[in-house]
């Protein structure tokens, strides 16, 4: 399949697609077993790896990143049977953290993006390792499965999920619904007709269009690589994220550290400073000027045009490439609820972390709930849009 045709599909599809990319990918790691890859990693690194994870049992809320604890082990240990009732993950890290042998020739020229050879992320996890349901506010996501199997539940941007900004992570919007260990079906009423599902196997690539919700879980020890393609029409979203970040920085800057820790994702801790707030205001002003003057966005980041094919042209291209590219199938309501019933077996009321009351005092719990409600209300997409319109 010609890389430029695949590039056109990636930048124009509005629906998730799977690419049978095994024969197209020239990556050396696909010629190794996972065990061989892990051995190569361990032979190049003397220090133990800081895996993060949680219990395989869970309470009402999603397993937010703040709840994870760390354990250090060798890479090969991810392949061992887990008898500790815990999942482990070494994920959301730049490819530069891998030994040279483990990332050799990993680039995206095969699908039309030869310049993408550094802005690549890897995800390694045991069975049950997962990411709470969310959507990425920027760009288009290309995911290549290398080892193991990984389940992807996807829903369109208009799905009736409840967006939340607590915990806050810039560029990610989580939802309140708990797909990992749902205590009941109640939270999913109204979305059962909009669910798509695919199990990625080695040699398969998933194209996730902008703003599609996704809940991702390892079914067995697995490794995948991905890249997010920045798009030329991301300007509106960049402005929205700036407004959201300002609201959250203003809210959090005077909060006690114990409460602030439950508002932010761990990787956002360093942003709560006066300098960060001032810088965000400057970025917002810059983006607003770009929008009002309708100037081409100047940046050292390559931003790709998208949506440039007509529906007829895209459909013709998809039909031509049907041997390699297929849309992700919709789940029947019965199958979705069956999957959620299976996941509900992980629910354990004793593991309920509703407010992390083991850490916070009663008055702090009440304050955190107030802050959570305030942020989720003021930073909801509809309110942020009103702020943008007023600007």
């Amino acid at each position: 399949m010609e890389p430029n045709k695949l590039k056109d599909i990636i930048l124009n599809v509005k629906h998730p697609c799977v690419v049978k990319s095994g024969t197209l990918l020239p990556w050396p790691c696909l010629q190794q077993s996972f065990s061989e890859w892990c051995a190569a990693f361990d032979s190049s690194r003397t220090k133990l790896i800081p895996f993060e994870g949680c219990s395989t049992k869970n309470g009402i809320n999603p397993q937010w990143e703040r709840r994870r604890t760390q354990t250090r082990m060798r890479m090969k240990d991810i392949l061992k049977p887990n008898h500790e009732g815990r999942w482990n993950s070494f994920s959301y890290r730049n490819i530069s953290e891998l030994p040279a042998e483990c990332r050799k020739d990993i680039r995206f020229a095969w699908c039309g993006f030869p310049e993408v050879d550094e802005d690549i992320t890897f995800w390694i996890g045991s069975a049950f390792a997962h990411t709470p349901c969310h959507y990425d506010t920027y760009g288009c996501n290309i995911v290549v499965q290398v080892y193991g199997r990984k389940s992807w539940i996807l829903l369109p941007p208009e799905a009736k999920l409840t967006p939340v900004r607590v915990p806050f992570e810039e560029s990610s919007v989580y939802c309140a619904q708990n797909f990992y260990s749902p205590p009941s079906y109640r939270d999913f009423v109204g979305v059962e007709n909009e669910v798509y599902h695919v199990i990625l196997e080695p040699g398969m690539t998933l194209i996730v269009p902008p703003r599609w919700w996704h809940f991702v879980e390892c079914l067995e020890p697995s490794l995948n690589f991905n890249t997010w393609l920045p798009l030329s029409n991301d300007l509106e979203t960049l402005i929205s994220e700036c407004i959201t970040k300002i609201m959250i920085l203003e809210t959090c800057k005077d909060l006690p550290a114990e409460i602030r820790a439950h508002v932010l994702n761990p990787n956002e801790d360093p942003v709560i400073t006066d300098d960060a707030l001032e810088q965000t205001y400057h970025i917002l002003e810059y983006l607003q000027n770009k929008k009002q003057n309708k100037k081409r966005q100047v940046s050292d980041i390559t931003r790709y045009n998208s949506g440039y094919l007509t529906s007829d042209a895209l459909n013709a291209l998809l039909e031509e490439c049907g041997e390699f590219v297929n849309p992700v199938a919709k789940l029947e309501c019965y199958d979705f609820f069956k999957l959620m019933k299976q996941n509900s077996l992980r629910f354990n009321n004793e593991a309920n972390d509703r407010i992390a009351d083991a850490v916070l005092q009663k008055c702090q719990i009440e304050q955190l709930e107030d802050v959570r409600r305030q942020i989720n209300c003021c930073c909801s997409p509809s309110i942020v849009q009103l702020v943008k319109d007023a600007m």
Side-chain angles (χ1 to χ4, degrees):
M1 183 174 176
E2 297 176 26
N4 282 341
K5 291 183 177 180
L6 191 48
K7 179 179 181 178
D8 285 339
I9 290 174
I10 290 169
L11 292 175
N12 286 276
V13 289
K14 302 295 190 293
H15 183 98
C17 290
V18 172
V19 182
K20 299 174 184 176
S21 50
T23 58
L24 306 174
L25 280 166
W27 296 359
C29 57
L30 285 166
Q31 308 306 316
Q32 296 176 293
S33 68
F34 201 1
S35 178
E36 291 170 332
W37 188 90
C38 290
F41 186 105
D42 288 335
S43 67
S44 302
R45 182 164 176 162
T46 56
K47 294 182 179 179
L48 296 178
I49 304 153
F51 279 83
E52 295 182 337
C54 282
S55 168
T56 54
K57 293 290 186 179
N58 186 51
I60 292 174
N61 291 321
Q63 283 188 326
W64 305 122
E65 189 174 337
R66 180 68 66 177
R67 290 185 53 209
R68 298 178 187 176
T69 57
Q70 193 176 99
T71 184
R72 293 183 174 270
M73 58 190 194
R74 307 294 290 171
M75 183 60 72
K76 65 181 180 181
D77 294 334
I78 198 72
L79 302 176
K80 295 179 180 178
N82 185 343
H83 302 297
E84 300 177 355
R86 170 191 168 90
W87 58 262
N88 292 297
S89 176
F90 185 58
S91 298
Y92 199 8
R93 294 173 178 268
N94 187 268
I95 195 173
S96 62
E97 295 188 40
L98 293 177
E101 185 178 347
C102 294
R103 55 183 165 88
K104 183 179 179 182
D105 293 332
I106 293 178
R107 50 180 59 92
F108 283 76
W110 65 275
C111 58
F113 302 95
E115 64 281 3
V116 178
D117 57 3
E118 294 181 353
D119 193 11
I120 298 171
T121 305
F122 68 88
W123 308 73
I124 301 169
S126 67
F128 300 102
H130 66 278
T131 304
C133 186
H134 69 286
Y135 69 80
D136 305 314
T137 56
Y138 309 138
C140 170
N141 191 2
I142 308 175
V143 184
V144 180
Q145 193 69 23
V146 176
Y147 303 121
R149 297 176 304 133
K150 209 163 187 178
S151 168
W152 283 73
I153 292 176
L154 301 116
L155 297 98
E158 65 274 12
K160 296 179 178 62
L161 295 174
T162 306
V164 296
R165 295 314 300 253
V166 178
F168 171 71
E169 178 179 81
E170 188 175 4
S171 80
S172 296
V173 176
Y174 293 100
C175 78
Q177 284 79 4
N178 176 6
F179 284 79
Y180 178 74
S181 57
S184 70
Y185 298 151
R186 182 177 58 190
D187 288 346
F188 300 105
V189 173
V191 304
E192 66 272 13
N193 293 312
E194 305 174 280
V195 182
Y196 297 79
H197 184 231
V198 63
I199 295 176
L200 284 191
E201 299 186 359
M204 295 170 63
T205 294
L206 177 65
I207 304 167
V208 184
R211 303 176 77 85
W212 271 71
W213 296 96
H214 47 283
F215 169 74
V216 189
E217 178 181 355
C218 296
L219 302 180
E220 59 194 18
S222 72
L223 163 68
N224 68 269
F225 294 93
N226 85 297
T227 188
W228 288 278
L229 301 175
L231 303 178
S232 57
N233 59 2
D234 280 340
L235 178 60
E236 287 293 335
T237 304
L238 287 165
I239 293 173
S240 295
E241 283 298 281
C242 265
I243 293 170
T244 300
K245 187 173 182 178
I246 287 170
M247 289 180 175
I248 290 174
L249 288 174
E250 292 281 14
T251 302
C252 288
K253 65 181 182 180
D254 296 323
L255 290 176
E258 298 85 355
I259 296 176
R260 191 167 63 227
H262 291 278
V263 174
L264 305 173
N265 248 17
N267 60 330
E268 297 291 343
D269 286 344
V271 306
I272 305 300
T273 65
D274 290 337
D275 288 344
L277 183 58
E278 183 178 359
Q279 182 183 31
T280 307
Y281 272 113
H282 286 321
I283 293 172
L284 178 59
E285 182 179 8
Y286 169 82
L287 295 172
Q288 278 292 103
N289 287 335
K290 289 293 179 185
K291 177 182 176 181
Q292 291 170 0
N293 296 330
K294 297 182 179 179
K295 292 180 180 179
R296 183 179 180 86
Q297 197 169 340
V298 178
S299 171
D300 57 354
I301 299 174
T302 299
R303 295 192 178 275
Y304 301 93
N305 291 325
S306 62
Y308 50 82
L309 293 181
T310 65
S311 296
D312 289 344
L314 176 59
N315 290 336
L317 184 57
L318 287 170
E319 184 174 353
E320 177 186 346
C321 302
E323 179 183 353
F324 292 97
V325 183
N326 293 285
V328 174
K330 180 180 282 192
L331 265 184
E332 296 292 338
C333 296
Y334 170 80
D335 291 324
F336 171 63
F337 284 124
K338 182 179 178 181
L339 180 56
M340 289 300 98
K341 182 177 181 180
Q342 178 181 334
N343 288 1
S344 71
L345 299 177
R346 304 161 177 167
F347 177 74
N348 179 0
N349 196 49
E350 294 180 1
N352 184 11
D353 65 309
R354 185 170 180 269
I355 300 294
D357 51 8
V359 178
L360 301 179
Q361 300 175 1
K362 184 177 179 180
C363 61
Q364 291 176 316
I365 293 173
E366 294 173 353
Q367 184 179 4
L368 175 58
E369 276 297 280
D370 289 342
V371 171
R372 191 192 306 273
R373 283 193 293 267
Q374 176 185 337
I375 289 176
N376 285 334
C377 176
C378 294
C379 297
S380 67
S382 59
I383 298 299
V384 172
Q385 185 60 48
L386 287 175
V387 175
K388 285 173 62 179
D389 293 343
M391 295 172 62

